[in-house]
Amino acid sequence: MFRFIFIRFLQTIPVLFIIAVLTFAMSRAAPGGPFSQERRVSPVIIERMNEYYGLADPLPVQFGNYIKNLLRGDLGPSYRHEGRTVNEIVGGSFPVSLELGMWSLLIALGLGIPVGLLAAVYRNTLLDYVPMSGAMMGICLPTFVMGPLLALVFGLWIGWFNVSGWHTPADRVLPSLTLGLYFGAYVARLTRGGMLEVLSQDYIRTARAKGVPEFMIVYKHALKGGLLPVVAFLGPALAALISGSFVVETIFQIPGLGRHFVNAAFNRDYTMVMGTVLFYATLLIVMNMIVDILQVLLNPRLKYES
Amino acid sequence: MPLLEVNDLTTWFHMRDGIVRAVDGVSFTLDRGETLGIVGESGSGKSVSCYSLLDLIPKPPGRIERGTAVLGGEVDLLRAPREVLRRIRGKRIAMVFQDPMTSLNPYLRISTQMIEPLLIHEGLGNREALRRAIESLEEVGIHDAVRQIDLYPHQFSGGMRQRVMIAMALITHPEILIADEPTTALDVTVQAQILELIKARQRELGTAVIYVTHDLGVIAGVCDRVNVMYAGTIMESGTVDEIFYNSAHPYTQALQQSIPSLHDKGKSLYTIPGAPPDLTEERSGCPFAPRCAYEEAHCTGPNYRGLDAFRGRHKTACLRVLEGELNLKEENR
Amino acid sequence: MIRTTLSPSPDDLPVPKLEELERGSSLWKDAWRRLRQNRLALIALALFTVIAIVCVLGPFMTPYGYEEQRLAYGAQGPTWEHWMGTDALGRDQLTRIMHGGRISLSVGFMATAVSLVIGVLYGATSAYIGGRTDAVMMRFVDILYAMPFTIFVILLTVIFGRSLYLIFIAIGAVEWLTMARIVRGQVLTLKQQEFIEAAVSLGYSNGRIILRHLIPNVVGPIIVYATLTVPAVMLLEAVLSFLGLGVQPPMASWGVLINEGKDAMTVYPWLLFFPALFFSLTLFSLNFLGDGLRDALDPKSSKD
């Protein structure tokens, strides 16, 4: 088991390196340098700035410096926010995004799993059809539709919440719901599918034949296997949560990393974009690793193979 | 009084394309300690009739249309409240299934699954239940049970898993054990061991066993009495000797003739002409008539009366045999 | 022990001819029959067809251009002249939605086509060659799976500008992974089947076997997955446009319209409502159609 975790950990290193190389290559392959957009700036100043940021060095040297800084965890200065480093910006805004992500995940799992379970156990009844139609609708209402709608209804018309900002605890509600409901819909569908699959297995019939009460069949015999698809979904879900956070933070004007990233992309703030991409990539790869390990822990068949 | 008395059991599956009459009026009895074989082709309703007894058929589309199944002269399994039936399952009637690879829960340890019947039905504590579980694993010939019991099913071979299934089924000393094709998924060498094991345990505990199988060899080897099923109904019922040496139904005979090793080498193998009937079509008269070598017009007429006494407890559904028109012994001479 | 098997022997079953398997005609007939029985999928198909026709043909019917500003008619709710109202610049909302639909749908289909080509070629090649090459190629896919795609697409648009073609390629370039996996799995199972062996023994070239024999037999799952990729791709494009990183004004995809509608929703809620409705209905119909196709083409995979 520890061997498996160790190997899995070692595998992430080359992946991160490849991502770093790709990001670097892409940014240098871009037509024009990062400062070529500002037309009113004189060529002399651009040259100065290029020199200051080390862009005048030969590419291998630049790459070497870049990797060296990365290894120290230094993502460099922001080209647009004068006097601020990418590290500072990420450090300041990521906790906000993290909190949003946690609330959303909590809503998604807390709502999706029970609903999916209920639908599977009471298959082909109203308890299945109604929530599952809701889940299908949830999937067809992406965050950038759901967000404005929620803001319109609960923010403007009913007036329970603020339409933007991230100050009071109540400000957490609409953004977290926007993101959480969407993934909750997915989780509900996956849970139902996983549970139906497991409930039709021979070993569930064995449990019935032993006289195991129905609720114990669901919780003791079926749940573990039935939730495996949900656990497997957590990896891609985290990636989707990140892109969802771009949208939600833009809609509700939340000062999270997602909004900074979108602004940086809009303003072509190269170091900021690259730094954020690397940060997100690392985060995702680590999270995926944890999900992989979790899957193995949940499934005894995999546990002993590894 | 018989231990189990099944009367006119009828289970249909209501599919989109029509009603599949999987079990259509099956009646039989089972005595204490007796071994009954139910033999038939796949789709003959032999498994469904057993699953119906314990309410294990998928509902919907399955539905038990009518019939009774009285256990010990006191409770009708087909009409018992859910909770009553649940207390019977795994306690008074236990089951062993065909495929030991899929019948044990891969996510739970053997120990967890073994002790479950004891916790549910006998209210034992964990420790006592575990002791009993280890004991019964040893009784089915699993060495080092103390250690083995903590493993997961996938760490066992197929034969070993079937031993676990048997130990688990018998752990509450049930009155009836239903074994649904218990050896079909196993290697030939292991098959005999498993049958011997069930036989031995049955003798010790006085359990009645119902074997559901398509393997006439199993029937010949271990059963006292046999029901031959075809198209959801019983064609013939009798002792093993009656069925094998004094068969009173053309279908039973055809079945025996299609066993390859009974023929001389080099001869072409015998196959029953035609195909099993479409169970979605309503049947009138003998379901085997279209494939039967001795079929006459009145076999499918209104006089057909299904399974009836032939000689004592030996029963047949063949109208011509019952009417004395057909003597299968003579015919084969 | 005496044994007898009572089920029919494989020799009794009709064996399909090589040509039949190449055409697979009965598969399609069966699939169509099953699809027709699925009312939800049929409704989805009809809904999608209507939306597509409206978006493709609609712009020829309306008296308004999508850029045509008539400030005097600015920001009206739905009227007889403007069924879905106008925006602040007096542009007809329905016309804008139809033009936006053309862009969103074409991104959906073009990017799916790109991902299809890459995924099918990659997956089929990997499975067909097999062995070490297969292992390496699939490990590469595994690695890519862990990549944050939206972020990469955004990075690409930052670096190479925001052209429509770039969006096709960028999205297509990240959406092919699952397709490659599906195709590989399908080819691996087919590879062991006899009609491929027959083709090999007839001395056909590898290229011909892949093109003429393997690909026709994996089209079922590919169609299903492609149907489900279209809404996923449209979603990604809409996210980009919504964030201001997609198509450039005055062109407007549904994502752009929803973004504009969100900014104006306090005063002109219809500007948010109608594009959102069109977009959601399209996602809805494509998802249900995909589910229905899956049940029709691969009845085994159906969960209930």
Side-chain angles (χ1 to χ4, degrees):
Chain A
M1 193 60 217
F2 288 107
R3 223 178 89 88
F4 169 77
I5 294 175
F6 184 66
I7 290 173
R8 197 66 191 70
F9 180 74
L10 281 187
Q11 281 174 344
T12 61
I13 293 171
V15 178
L16 283 173
F17 182 76
I18 292 170
I19 292 178
V21 174
L22 272 180
T23 347
F24 180 81
M26 276 207 269
S27 69
R28 299 305 133 123
F35 304 111
S36 59
Q37 296 268 299
E38 275 150 287
R39 287 176 196 123
R40 271 175 289 170
V41 180
S42 75
V44 184
I45 292 180
I46 288 188
E47 213 166 281
R48 285 265 182 78
M49 286 176 86
N50 278 344
E51 222 163 275
Y52 174 73
Y53 286 111
L55 296 174
D57 297 333
L59 274 181
V61 177
Q62 284 188 35
F63 184 67
N65 287 334
Y66 173 74
I67 295 291
K68 224 187 293 169
N69 287 335
L70 268 187
L71 286 176
R72 287 205 311 259
D74 181 3
L75 298 171
S78 161
Y79 287 164
R80 293 289 145 142
H81 300 266
E82 269 171 56
R84 293 191 69 189
T85 65
V86 175
N87 286 50
E88 281 167 19
I89 299 174
V90 171
S93 58
F94 180 63
V96 174
S97 297
L98 187 66
E99 192 194 337
L100 172 65
M102 296 294 252
W103 286 122
S104 308
L105 206 60
L106 210 67
I107 292 174
L109 297 178
L111 210 68
I113 292 177
V115 165
L117 270 183
L118 221 61
V121 172
Y122 297 98
R123 177 176 38 158
N124 296 334
T125 66
L126 273 187
L127 274 177
D128 180 12
Y129 295 138
V130 174
M132 280 303 125
S133 312
M136 194 67 206
M137 265 165 64
I139 285 171
C140 298
L141 282 177
T143 44
F144 55 87
V145 174
M146 181 71 107
L149 283 180
L150 287 178
L152 189 65
V153 174
F154 295 100
L156 291 171
W157 293 351
I158 307 183
W160 285 347
F161 304 101
N162 292 326
V163 189
S164 64
W166 190 256
H167 308 291
T168 65
D171 287 345
R172 270 71 172 164
V173 175
L174 289 186
S176 308
L177 270 181
T178 303
L179 207 46
L181 286 178
Y182 184 65
F183 290 100
Y186 265 101
V187 171
R189 277 167 64 88
L190 285 171
T191 307
R192 176 177 181 274
M195 285 302 286
L196 284 184
E197 172 91 34
V198 169
L199 285 173
S200 70
Q201 295 292 315
D202 285 356
Y203 58 81
I204 296 298
R205 189 182 56 194
T206 308
R208 288 221 168 86
K210 285 196 289 186
V212 179
E214 206 61 25
F215 80 92
M216 285 230 312
I217 287 181
V218 173
Y219 291 103
K220 191 170 159 191
H221 285 265
L223 196 58
K224 221 172 168 189
L227 286 187
L228 277 181
V230 177
V231 177
F233 171 67
L234 282 181
L238 289 167
L241 266 178
I242 288 174
S243 49
S245 74
F246 301 165
V247 172
V248 171
E249 288 175 11
T250 304
I251 295 172
F252 295 96
Q253 293 174 24
I254 298 164
L257 183 54
R259 192 148 145 252
H260 277 287
F261 176 62
V262 172
N263 284 337
F266 213 81
N267 296 323
R268 300 189 151 221
D269 185 343
Y270 277 77
T271 42
M272 181 68 201
V273 169
M274 275 163 50
T276 318
V277 167
L278 279 172
F279 177 77
Y280 277 136
T282 316
L283 183 74
L284 274 178
I285 287 166
V286 171
M287 294 311 269
N288 269 313
M289 188 178 85
I290 294 174
V291 168
D292 275 7
I293 293 170
L294 209 63
Q295 266 178 292
V296 170
L297 282 179
L298 275 176
N299 194 338
R301 261 182 294 199
L302 290 176
K303 191 151 85 187
Y304 283 84
E305 268 165 34
S306 53
Chain B
M1 184 189 57
L3 176 58
L4 177 70
E5 187 164 10
V6 177
N7 214 330
D8 196 25
L9 172 64
T10 301
T11 306
W12 290 354
F13 289 88
H14 297 258
M15 313 298 281
R16 200 182 298 171
D17 306 327
I19 299 171
V20 177
R21 295 162 176 82
V23 177
D24 213 1
V26 161
S27 308
F28 64 91
T29 59
L30 179 73
D31 292 328
R32 259 171 221 288
E34 180 186 36
T35 308
L36 174 71
I38 302 182
V39 69
E41 299 167 71
S42 33
S44 60
K46 55 193 194 303
S47 291
V48 175
S49 51
C50 287
Y51 290 170
S52 300
L53 297 178
L54 291 181
D55 193 25
L56 290 177
I57 54 166
K59 291 180 182 177
R63 209 168 91 193
I64 295 169
E65 304 290 332
R66 57 175 188 273
T68 56
V70 180
L71 177 69
E74 34 173 317
V75 52
D76 179 359
L77 298 174
L78 305 185
R79 269 177 202 76
R82 271 181 160 208
E83 197 49 28
V84 173
L85 192 62
R86 187 182 68 70
R87 282 173 210 282
I88 291 172
R89 287 201 293 247
K91 173 63 186 159
R92 299 184 64 187
I93 306 178
M95 269 190 101
V96 173
F97 295 96
Q98 172 172 358
D99 191 349
M101 294 300 187
T102 57
S103 297
L104 286 166
N105 193 326
Y107 300 107
L108 300 176
R109 289 176 199 281
I110 299 288
S111 52
T112 316
Q113 303 186 52
M114 288 278 304
I115 63 175
E116 219 171 11
L118 295 174
L119 302 183
I120 296 167
H121 298 296
E122 303 194 353
L124 291 188
N126 262 316
R127 183 181 296 181
E128 175 63 10
L130 199 62
R131 197 187 57 72
R132 280 265 298 271
I134 292 170
E135 215 175 85
S136 56
L137 277 187
E138 277 162 354
E139 281 162 2
V140 296
I142 290 180
H143 305 293
D144 200 10
V146 183
R147 240 168 37 80
Q148 303 274 12
I149 198 166
D150 280 326
L151 299 179
Y152 286 96
H154 64 92
Q155 292 166 292
F156 280 62
S157 70
M160 292 290 267
R161 285 189 221 190
Q162 200 61 301
R163 283 169 195 267
V164 171
M165 282 295 290
I166 292 164
M168 189 163 75
L170 294 175
I171 199 166
T172 52
H173 300 175
E175 293 155 70
I176 302 175
L177 175 72
I178 301 175
D180 180 18
E181 306 263 12
T183 57
T184 309
L186 302 177
D187 285 348
V188 183
T189 47
V190 184
Q191 289 182 356
Q193 294 172 11
I194 294 295
L195 290 177
E196 276 310 315
L197 174 69
I198 296 178
K199 227 176 177 176
R201 297 293 293 143
Q202 177 185 15
R203 262 198 304 271
E204 288 161 40
L205 302 171
T207 313
V209 178
I210 301 179
Y211 278 102
V212 177
T213 182
H214 64 253
D215 190 336
L216 286 172
V218 171
I219 299 286
V222 295
C223 294
D224 301 326
R225 284 192 305 119
V226 188
N227 290 338
V228 180
M229 280 192 76
Y230 181 80
T233 59
I234 296 178
M235 297 273 99
E236 186 175 3
S237 174
T239 64
V240 169
D241 282 352
E242 284 164 345
I243 295 292
F244 277 89
Y245 302 113
N246 212 350
S247 165
H249 199 291
Y251 176 64
T252 314
Q253 281 209 322
L255 261 191
Q256 290 176 44
Q257 278 171 22
S258 52
I259 299 172
S261 48
L262 287 183
H263 293 266
D264 299 332
K265 261 196 190 160
K267 269 198 195 166
S268 66
L269 297 179
Y270 176 79
T271 50
I272 305 173
D278 180 358
L279 295 176
T280 56
E281 275 165 25
E282 206 151 350
R283 167 173 60 81
S284 70
C286 177
F288 187 61
R291 303 171 76 183
C292 183
Y294 309 104
E295 185 241 349
E296 299 247 317
H298 60 283
C299 287
T300 50
N303 285 335
Y304 182 78
R305 52 184 197 261
L307 195 66
D308 206 346
F310 172 57
R311 258 184 223 129
R313 286 186 77 183
H314 187 184
K315 295 176 181 173
T316 178
C318 182
L319 185 64
R320 297 195 61 206
V321 170
L322 287 170
E323 300 281 330
E325 300 170 16
L326 185 65
N327 188 335
L328 288 169
K329 239 180 168 166
E330 291 289 316
E331 294 284 337
N332 284 327
R333 199 154 286 154
Chain C
M1 188 177 294
I2 311 162
R3 270 201 72 89
T4 170
T5 314
L6 300 171
S7 44
S9 79
D11 304 23
D12 298 341
L13 300 171
V15 179
K17 301 246 161 51
L18 189 62
E19 312 88 74
E20 271 176 40
L21 280 162
E22 277 193 340
R23 271 186 293 116
S25 61
S26 67
L27 170 80
W28 298 110
K29 248 187 257 163
D30 274 8
W32 175 236
R33 187 179 54 76
R34 274 194 295 266
L35 190 65
R36 268 187 321 200
Q37 284 170 357
N38 187 339
R39 211 175 305 149
L40 220 51
L42 279 192
I43 293 172
L45 180 63
L47 184 63
F48 180 73
T49 314
V50 169
I51 292 174
I53 289 175
V54 166
C55 290
V56 174
L57 300 182
F60 298 114
M61 318 267 195
T62 75
Y64 313 103
Y66 78 100
E67 288 178 85
E68 190 184 329
Q69 304 181 2
R70 295 194 296 175
L71 294 172
Y73 297 90
Q76 292 177 343
T79 60
W80 275 113
E81 282 75 38
H82 301 283
W83 293 355
M84 297 186 182
T86 59
D87 66 7
L89 300 174
R91 293 178 292 194
D92 180 59
Q93 171 85 343
L94 178 57
T95 310
R96 304 251 306 151
I97 288 175
M98 292 187 299
H99 276 279
R102 284 179 166 189
I103 293 174
S104 289
L105 289 173
S106 60
V107 170
F109 282 93
M110 291 303 294
T112 302
V114 172
S115 78
L116 205 68
V117 172
I118 305 176
V120 169
L121 285 180
Y122 192 94
T125 312
S126 176
Y128 190 72
I129 298 175
R132 275 193 94 88
T133 317
D134 180 40
V136 171
M137 284 175 86
M138 280 300 129
R139 187 71 203 121
F140 182 61
V141 170
D142 288 346
I143 289 171
L144 287 183
Y145 251 108
M147 300 275 185
F149 291 122
T150 320
I151 304 168
F152 267 102
V153 175
I154 290 176
L155 187 67
L156 282 173
T157 60
V158 169
I159 289 166
F160 297 108
R162 296 167 206 155
S163 87
L164 200 55
Y165 298 103
L166 180 84
I167 291 174
F168 289 164
I169 295 168
I171 297 180
V174 299
E175 287 282 348
W176 58 272
L177 297 174
T178 311
M179 184 66 81
R181 274 193 180 173
I182 290 175
V183 171
R184 173 180 173 268
Q186 200 72 12
V187 172
L188 275 186
T189 41
L190 279 171
K191 221 174 116 179
Q192 280 135 21
Q193 268 161 35
E194 281 157 18
F195 69 99
I196 299 292
E197 270 168 42
V200 173
S201 65
L202 286 173
Y204 290 167
S205 71
N206 279 1
R208 185 187 158 123
I209 292 171
I210 291 178
L211 269 177
R212 296 284 304 278
H213 296 253
L214 288 178
I215 292 181
N217 277 290
V218 297
V219 277
I222 290 176
I223 288 177
V224 172
Y225 188 69
T227 316
L228 294 169
T229 303
V230 174
V233 165
M234 288 176 67
L235 200 61
L236 191 48
E237 184 276 330
V239 165
L240 288 181
S241 295
F242 182 81
L243 294 174
L245 301 170
V247 292
Q248 302 270 40
M251 270 207 291
S253 73
W254 284 340
V256 174
L257 291 176
I258 293 170
N259 188 23
E260 289 173 5
K262 171 212 73 176
D263 292 336
M265 71 182 177
T266 43
V267 270
Y268 318 128
W270 62 87
L271 289 183
L272 171 63
F273 179 73
F274 287 112
L277 182 73
F278 265 78
F279 188 72
S280 289
L281 282 180
T282 307
L283 289 192
F284 183 80
S285 60
L286 284 171
N287 278 325
F288 268 112
L289 186 60
D291 275 2
L293 281 175
R294 175 168 50 212
D295 294 347
L297 283 167
D298 187 7
K300 275 171 291 175
S301 78
S302 143
K303 289 257 156 75
D304 39 0

